[in-house]
Every structure is written in C-alpha cells, then in structure tokens.
Amino acid sequence: MTIDYAQARENMVEQQVRPWEVLDPRVLLVIGRTPREAFVDAAHRELAYADLSLPLGHGQFMMKPVVEGRTLQSLLPQAHERVLEIGTGSGYLTACLAQLAHSVHSLEIDPALADAARTRLATLGHANA
C-alpha cells in the first residue's frame, strides 16, 4: 500500500490541527507543506500524520501534530526574529520554525538525535549557514 503523504498532510491540517483552533494562516501553511514523514523512523512513517506522539528513540517522543500546531501558533515567530530551540528531537518543529523565523538555533543533548535531525534538516534545505 502506498500512502499519499500530501493528502495525509492536508487531512491532518483540516481534521486535527485546524479544529484545535490553530487558525494562523502562516502556521497552517508551514504545517501543510512540511513533510512530517521525513522526521520519523521508517517503522513509524505510516503513522506520521496520525493524532499520536511518536517514539524517536532514546526515551524521546515527537509531539502530536495538534500540539506542534498550537506551539507554533503560540510562539508565532516573525520573519525578522531569531529562535533558540532547546530540544531538537526529530527536527520537525525546527523545520517549521525555520520557515517562520529569520533563523533557528536548536540544541539537542542526545548526540544520536542531533545527528539524525541535522541530516533530516539538511536534506530538506535547512542547514547551518
């Protein structure tokens, strides 16, 4: 079975995130175009857009999409602002923040998570300048 991730992303925005009163158009656009499936392990890729927190390994979990949406809307960084993120995790929220803010500096204590996030972010064009 092949999953249409673009459709899954759209469904996530319309059926999960928006009903939780995440209504900022910039946040919805960023969540709607950021490939969440690229930030989870292959074993959990089919669940990337489910209303679940997904294991990242090392005792860490990726937040539910609605929590990520509410977090982005609460912070709502502007294009001229710099963001300091503590706890990179998968790098998904980092990628979303990078599209909203001028720059993001993200710190991760676990070297394996940091390396995986760095690779994922670089693959999508978000890397240190």
Side-chain angles (χ1 to χ4, degrees):
M1 175 171 89
T2 303
I3 295 176
D4 181 346
Y5 287 114
Q7 184 63 54
R9 221 175 356 267
E10 183 179 327
N11 292 345
M12 176 193 71
V13 169
E14 295 304 321
Q15 297 171 9
Q16 295 174 48
V17 179
R18 191 183 296 270
W20 268 60
E21 298 184 13
V22 177
L23 303 174
D24 185 272
R26 291 175 57 225
V27 171
L28 293 172
L29 179 66
V30 164
I31 290 175
R33 71 177 177 205
T34 304
R36 197 167 193 268
E37 73 275 7
F39 292 90
V40 298
D41 292 332
H44 299 102
R45 200 151 285 144
E46 292 180 2
L47 299 172
Y49 296 100
D51 186 25
L52 301 168
S53 62
L54 299 173
L56 298 174
H58 312 277
Q60 302 299 314
F61 289 83
M62 185 177 196
M63 293 185 282
K64 290 180 174 188
V66 294
V67 175
E68 291 164 331
R70 298 283 303 257
T71 299
L72 291 167
Q73 183 169 271
S74 294
L75 295 171
L76 202 55
Q78 300 302 304
H80 67 279
E81 295 178 318
R82 294 188 220 175
V83 174
L84 172 61
E85 177 187 38
I86 308 297
T88 310
S90 70
Y92 175 76
L93 201 60
T94 313
C96 291
L97 288 166
Q99 295 172 73
L100 294 168
H102 178 266
S103 62
V104 179
H105 187 89
S106 188
L107 304 174
E108 175 56 58
I109 195 169
D110 186 292
L113 286 176
D115 288 343
R118 187 178 301 110
T119 299
R120 291 170 174 145
L121 290 162
T123 298
L124 294 173
H126 302 292
N128 293 336

